[in-house]
Amino acid sequence: MRFGEIRRGVRRLMRLAIRSRHSARRDAEEELEAVLQAREEQLRALGYSEADARAEAVRRMGGTLDDVIDDVIQSAEHRERAMSIRETLSEFGDDIRISIRGLRRDALFAGFVMATLALGIGANAAMFSVADRLLLRGPSYIVNPNRVMRVYRHSTRPDGQQATNSSYGWVVYDILRSKTESFAGVAAYSIGGTNTFGRGANAELVNVGAVTHDFFALLGVRPEVGRFFNAVEDAPTAPQHVVVLGHGLWLRAFGGDPAVIGKTVTMSDETYTVVGVAPRGFTGPVLSPTDVWYPMSLRGAATTSRWTTAWNAQWLQIIVRLKDGVAPARAEHDATAAFRAGYTGTSSEDAGSTMTLGSLRSTPSGKESLEVTVSRWLVGVAAIVLLVACANVANLLLARSARRRRELAVRVALGSGRARLMRLVFTECVVLAAGGAVAGLLVASGLTTLMRAVLLPNVEWTASAIGWPILAISAAIAIVVAAAIGLAPALRAARPDLIESLKAGVRESGGQSSRLRATLTIVQAAVSVVLLVGAGLFVRSLVKVKSLDLGIQPDRVLVTRLHYPSHASVLSRGNGAEVTRRASVLESAMRRARALPGVEHASLTIGLPFQSAFGQKLRVPGWDSLPTLKSGSNPLIFAVGPDYFETVGGRILQGRGFAAADRRGSEPVAIVNQTMASILWRGRSPVGECLYWGLDNEPLTVCSRIVGVVANANNWRLREDPMFAYYIPFGQERGFGGATLVVRPRPGLETSVMTELRTMILDLDPAVSFVRTTRLQDEVDPQMRPWKLGATVFTLIGVLAMLVASVGLYSVMSYLVAQRTRELAVRIALGARTASIVSLVFRSGVGMVIAGVIVGTIVSIWAGRFLGPLLFDTSPRDPAILAGVGVLLIVVGILASVVPALRASQVNPADALRAE
């Protein structure tokens, strides 16, 4: 016998005896010792001495006896493990094939389960994509973002109220940059607004961001192409104007050509040199897209000539990067001390301000944005929907496993182990979860696209709707779901009662499973109540927001702005003739707009709610100083033309509006808002009284006679405290400017009027480089977005949960009817009436729904205290919503129970008892 064959024989022996290592080693020693002795005898016969024969036999064996035995045992163990893995994979493949065949025979059941899981998994994946952008990752390309913070200023108003703001002038940025020691970097930015890019027919409006030269370095971002601008280029004396293009504009306008560096581009008819391109998806410390980045010095010079020293010119946001090892509290103390020491303004309120640091995700007032807060709730809501889906599927699987008791018992009788049965049932759940996850990707793609395009359009979405994070979270959810829905059926499959299960027509014994299914049904109904109550509350909030009296009607107003070449430079050089000509063009455009058949009213204005406002020095006879309102705002002044209030939907409460005769050179007149009239004139009519307003450096001696009182109009936010506001005729303004054409189109003609306005103005003045017409409602919509987001997603997911729960109730009731067929047959055979049979089944289904409604209502009332801050003038315990949702769920429960109840009444006693 060859030695290699002997070793293979020993390995087979080891594999057979591998479960007893000591026994195997003993047998191997005996076998190998016999082989050695046989080989020694052969060698001695050839003339070897006894010692040499032993040594030669060991050498030919490949080592000492212990070494060979260890090698044989290790090889056998490795082979056993490999064979075990192959056998396991083969058995798992068999389980998958068996599961697919079984589910194919029960296609309706499999389809419903996968659809249910697809809704739950897809909703969670979609919510994760939103939360990932808003809550987790935040702005892209920021290195070590936890060390980058926004600077806030806290001050105390004269009325004792605390105020928080994050807008500053250049002088504060300069103080923090040069007088503090806690920061590794300080930068400022002003992101927002639009400029025209290009000339003629190819011109487009682009989103712009003015930033200091140290902005990019502080964030740690690197350019895609070229470089970022430096300190020399961010100075008033810069030799040329430079810009950095956003990645999207680079692709749109230049096709992603790297040779764009060094080329000149036109923005607002000024020439700029391109020095770099930002990386794809870079938005700075905000989430909205930016097309062009340019030096802050250009933005400041266009704002005011004293932009580097003025304390009241506040348009900057300041961000800082903390030095390593510096705690935020220490940096806040450092910044506060530097600010107070360097403050040279005249406001005692600002002089005592305290500087704090906050997250980039916070609003300018230092609070978490409503979009972020609502996103947190939506993630939780999506998780609840997944729980509802899992409960419903688990309910169905328990019912199906009861129907399969006979099948599983047959498998046990034929030799299948209980572990194999558990694995088979669990594999079926894995197949269902995997199918639900794949279908859920389609649901996630649709929901994600919808939310991005409709609910969060101002966010720059850098990741695709279905990317690796979504795939990973979907896979993770599928694994969890498979474990959640498969555990109970698998454990149940491990305990089949062979005798009872093999009996034909056996009924499910025990009430434990029925109670479990009833509990799951109640939970589904309760969760549906909670979600639908949340949807109702957000819908009520959205309705109240939309019906809010803003003092104007922004949904009926079109705003038209004319963009001219070199707008800023013309005004800064004081070219009076050009300014007068442009004003004349606007007035001609207003008259022509009024003549358009689709226009009801048109007017001109300087200052417009939700867009811009101005302040001037004001004196009112009888007041040494004007009272400070809770809003803390200074009186706002607007210069408006005739027909302005009719155009924007304002209401004249007393007196009259402005007429065509109220213009430049006519008697100075004014209109005050309701708050101003009631507080400054203390209940008497202000019509005929005087206002004195003007510039800071001139005496207030000219009386503007009040001719009317107009209803208050919100100026900045949907919720705001009353402010003083007064209006003067267009043309009588001085010290401020920037006229806008406002148009009120006839209902349904907005789009055509916007086109006609653009064509008409370009024909009127060929010098206009771009005409921009937008809806004033577009300025209001972003503030409505949190309630719109909550109402849409809560409603969608709540309805889905209700549908899942109703179908689950229907399936459970159908199974209970099938389970109780013999009992119902006996009742009918004994003379039970059809109505009593229907009532018996009907009460069971509706009773579970009513129990779920009661539980869900209690939970909704408890959770209302957390949801309340997100609502708009809506009580989280609104009885109408609670009652309406309860009635809706009970009606759904009734409908889901009708068919099973009628089916129960049609049981044939003879057929049912014969089957038993």
Side-chain angles (χ1 to χ4, degrees):
M1 178 183 293
R2 298 179 61 182
F3 189 72
E5 295 176 353
I6 296 174
R7 294 188 64 173
R8 286 193 292 274
V10 173
R11 287 194 182 99
R12 285 195 297 271
L13 176 64
M14 293 299 101
R15 186 169 65 84
L16 293 173
I18 198 68
R19 297 182 184 275
S20 177
R21 188 180 182 92
H22 296 294
S23 175
R25 189 175 188 88
R26 184 175 60 254
D27 293 341
E29 288 176 352
E30 294 175 355
E31 181 74 20
L32 291 174
E33 183 62 36
V35 172
L36 281 175
Q37 291 177 1
R39 181 56 57 89
E40 285 181 33
E41 293 176 359
Q42 293 176 357
L43 293 175
R44 283 197 299 271
L46 294 175
Y48 282 80
S49 66
E50 184 174 348
D52 290 341
R54 179 72 178 182
E56 180 65 15
V58 170
R59 185 187 69 78
R60 292 186 182 185
M61 189 173 61
T64 65
L65 185 62
D66 289 339
D67 292 339
V68 173
I69 292 174
D70 290 340
D71 178 59
V72 169
I73 291 177
Q74 289 177 3
S75 298
E77 289 178 341
H78 176 73
R79 179 181 178 84
E80 179 69 17
R81 285 195 297 269
M83 292 181 65
S84 176
I85 292 174
R86 285 195 295 269
E87 290 172 359
T88 300
L89 292 177
S90 177
E91 290 176 355
F92 183 64
D94 292 340
D95 290 343
I96 291 178
R97 285 190 291 273
I98 293 172
S99 298
I100 293 176
R101 282 200 305 267
L103 293 175
R104 195 186 311 166
R105 289 194 301 268
D106 202 352
L108 184 62
F109 165 82
F112 175 74
V113 169
M114 289 184 184
T116 302
L117 294 179
L119 295 176
I121 295 175
N124 277 267
M127 292 303 105
F128 174 80
S129 70
V130 173
D132 180 49
R133 184 63 167 142
L134 297 181
L135 302 178
L136 302 179
R137 290 190 298 114
S140 304
Y141 297 102
I142 299 181
V143 176
N144 196 4
N146 293 332
R147 304 295 290 176
V148 178
M149 311 190 83
R150 193 192 313 277
V151 179
Y152 291 92
R153 180 177 71 251
H154 300 271
S155 58
T156 304
R157 296 173 180 168
D159 60 358
Q161 296 291 324
Q162 297 294 315
T164 301
N165 202 346
S166 60
S167 296
Y168 304 93
W170 175 275
V171 62
V172 178
Y173 158 72
D174 193 44
I175 288 174
L176 295 180
R177 181 181 57 171
S178 59
K179 304 297 183 182
T180 58
E181 299 178 351
S182 301
F183 306 123
V186 180
Y189 68 88
S190 177
I191 298 175
T194 57
N195 283 342
T196 57
F197 187 83
R199 285 193 177 97
N202 295 325
E204 64 172 308
L205 281 178
V206 294
N207 300 316
V208 298
V211 299
T212 55
H213 68 277
D214 42 18
F215 174 81
F216 301 103
L218 184 147
L219 297 179
V221 63
R222 296 181 180 275
E224 179 80 13
V225 178
R227 62 176 178 84
F228 297 125
F229 47 80
N230 53 40
V232 174
E233 293 162 330
D234 185 24
T237 57
Q240 63 177 349
H241 294 172
V242 299
V243 293
V244 172
L245 300 180
H247 196 275
L249 181 62
W250 178 51
L251 294 178
R252 293 197 310 271
F254 301 97
D257 185 5
V260 70
I261 305 302
K263 290 185 178 180
T264 58
V265 296
T266 302
M267 189 168 66
S268 295
D269 215 48
E270 297 279 355
T271 300
Y272 295 81
T273 300
V274 178
V275 297
V277 176
R280 177 181 178 273
F282 174 70
T283 59
V286 300
L287 293 177
S288 56
T290 299
D291 297 309
V292 177
W293 305 89
Y294 67 101
M296 181 63 72
S297 58
L298 300 179
R299 170 76 167 81
T303 303
T304 173
S305 59
R306 299 183 298 108
W307 67 278
T308 58
T309 58
W311 285 95
N312 59 350
Q314 299 178 355
W315 79 96
L316 300 177
Q317 297 283 312
I318 298 177
I319 56 176
V320 297
R321 180 178 288 277
L322 298 177
K323 287 182 177 179
D324 292 339
V326 175
R330 174 184 164 190
E332 290 173 348
H333 182 271
D334 187 14
T336 299
F339 174 80
R340 292 179 178 179
Y343 183 77
T344 58
T346 59
S347 172
S348 58
E349 180 180 328
D350 289 343
S353 295
T354 300
M355 314 297 278
T356 62
L357 305 178
S359 168
L360 296 180
R361 297 189 180 94
S362 301
T363 64
S365 61
K367 300 178 180 179
E368 182 179 78
S369 68
L370 276 176
E371 287 88 351
V372 171
T373 304
V374 171
S375 297
R376 295 182 191 274
W377 274 90
L378 295 181
V379 171
V381 166
I384 292 174
V385 170
L386 183 61
L387 291 178
V388 172
C390 290
N392 192 26
V393 171
N395 220 344
L396 294 175
L397 289 173
L398 285 173
R400 187 167 186 264
S401 65
R403 295 198 306 270
R404 297 179 65 191
R405 291 179 64 195
R406 180 179 175 82
E407 172 198 342
L408 297 177
V410 170
R411 290 181 179 275
V412 172
L414 294 177
S416 293
R418 299 183 188 272
R420 177 66 188 277
L421 285 182
M422 290 181 63
R423 193 174 65 204
L424 180 63
V425 173
F426 193 79
T427 300
E428 186 175 272
C429 296
V430 170
V431 171
L432 291 171
V438 172
L441 292 177
L442 300 178
V443 176
S445 177
L447 285 177
T448 301
T449 302
L450 173 67
M451 287 190 293
R452 291 181 177 186
V454 178
L455 301 178
L456 296 167
N458 293 334
V459 175
E460 176 80 357
W461 298 98
T462 56
S464 62
I466 300 297
W468 284 112
I470 301 302
L471 293 175
I473 196 67
S474 298
I477 293 174
I479 293 173
V480 173
V481 166
I485 67 176
L487 183 60
L491 292 176
R492 181 174 184 147
R495 302 190 303 270
D497 187 334
L498 291 181
I499 305 301
E500 292 296 326
S501 298
L502 289 173
K503 291 180 179 178
V506 67
R507 300 180 306 278
E508 181 182 1
S509 60
Q512 183 175 357
S513 297
S514 298
R515 287 194 296 271
L516 178 59
R517 287 196 298 274
T519 300
L520 292 174
T521 303
I522 292 172
V523 168
Q524 292 179 64
V527 172
S528 299
V529 169
V530 173
L531 295 178
L532 289 174
V533 167
L537 293 174
F538 270 104
V539 169
R540 175 69 63 85
S541 295
L542 183 60
V543 169
K544 288 196 173 184
V545 167
K546 289 185 174 181
S547 61
L548 191 66
D549 184 7
L550 301 176
I552 59 173
Q553 297 173 326
D555 58 322
R556 296 292 311 280
V557 180
L558 298 180
V559 182
T560 299
R561 285 189 170 82
L562 281 57
H563 295 263
Y564 282 95
S566 309
H567 177 77
S569 60
V570 166
L571 297 183
S572 63
R573 288 195 296 266
N575 190 334
E578 177 62 15
V579 172
T580 301
R581 189 192 74 82
R582 294 181 183 182
S584 175
V585 170
L586 263 179
E587 291 182 358
S588 298
M590 177 191 66
R591 290 191 292 271
R592 293 193 181 188
R594 288 176 177 172
L596 294 175
V599 173
E600 291 184 356
H601 302 282
S603 185
L604 297 176
T605 178
I606 300 177
L608 188 64
F610 296 98
Q611 287 200 347
S612 61
F614 301 89
Q616 295 282 26
K617 187 168 64 172
L618 177 67
R619 180 172 66 86
V620 176
W623 292 88
D624 295 332
S625 62
L626 297 182
T628 301
L629 301 183
K630 185 178 181 180
S631 64
S633 172
N634 294 322
L636 303 178
I637 184 173
F638 300 86
V640 302
D643 218 21
Y644 168 80
F645 297 108
E646 292 80 359
T647 301
V648 300
R651 303 190 307 277
I652 299 295
L653 304 179
Q654 296 181 38
R656 65 174 177 86
F658 294 134
D662 298 317
R663 54 186 307 163
R664 181 180 290 108
S666 66
E667 176 194 8
V669 293
I671 296 174
V672 299
N673 74 344
Q674 188 176 5
T675 296
M676 201 167 177
S678 61
I679 293 178
L680 299 185
W681 283 274
R682 298 169 180 170
R684 58 189 176 90
S685 174
V687 176
E689 301 289 341
C690 283
L691 285 181
Y692 297 88
W693 65 271
L695 304 178
D696 290 340
N697 57 358
E698 67 180 20
L700 303 183
T701 58
V702 177
C703 167
S704 292
R705 184 173 56 86
I706 298 174
V707 297
V709 177
V710 68
N712 291 339
N714 290 38
N715 290 287
W716 304 113
R717 293 180 297 275
L718 298 175
R719 273 193 179 120
E720 64 180 20
D721 296 317
M723 302 179 183
F724 288 155
Y726 58 105
Y727 304 80
I728 61 173
F730 183 84
Q732 293 187 4
E733 74 281 350
R734 59 187 186 277
F736 63 102
T740 300
L741 172 64
V742 288
V743 174
R744 187 181 186 89
R746 299 186 187 280
L749 299 178
E750 285 187 358
T751 303
S752 61
V753 168
M754 293 172 74
T755 303
E756 291 173 342
L757 287 173
R758 174 180 170 82
T759 303
M760 178 262 292
I761 292 174
L762 290 176
D763 291 341
L764 183 64
D765 186 3
V768 174
S769 60
F770 192 82
V771 178
R772 184 187 187 191
T773 301
T774 59
R775 298 172 177 83
L776 185 57
Q777 185 66 34
D778 294 341
E779 303 292 335
V780 182
D781 282 343
Q783 298 188 41
M784 295 184 178
R785 190 167 296 126
W787 297 286
K788 186 177 181 181
L789 178 66
T792 302
V793 180
F794 261 95
T795 300
L796 176 62
I797 294 181
V799 170
L800 292 178
M802 182 182 68
L803 291 176
V804 169
S806 61
V807 176
L809 174 64
Y810 171 80
S811 63
V812 169
M813 294 306 301
S814 297
Y815 172 74
L816 290 178
V817 169
Q819 177 192 354
R820 300 175 65 181
T821 299
R822 185 175 186 277
E823 173 194 343
L824 298 175
V826 171
R827 288 176 179 269
I828 294 174
L830 294 177
R833 293 179 301 173
T834 299
S836 64
I837 297 297
V838 171
S839 175
L840 177 67
V841 177
F842 196 77
R843 286 199 308 270
S844 178
V846 176
M848 288 187 286
V849 173
I850 292 176
V853 168
I854 294 173
V855 173
T857 302
I858 294 173
V859 174
S860 298
I861 294 174
W862 171 81
R865 56 179 177 172
F866 304 106
L867 195 62
L870 304 178
L871 304 177
F872 188 91
D873 293 343
T874 300
S875 170
R877 298 174 178 85
D878 190 314
I881 293 176
L882 294 173
V885 169
V887 171
L888 175 63
L889 260 296
I890 292 174
V891 170
V892 169
I894 291 174
L895 295 177
S897 303
V898 165
V899 174
L902 293 177
R903 186 179 300 152
S905 67
Q906 298 170 359
V907 171
N908 187 311
D911 292 341
L913 294 175
R914 187 180 305 113
E916 289 290 336

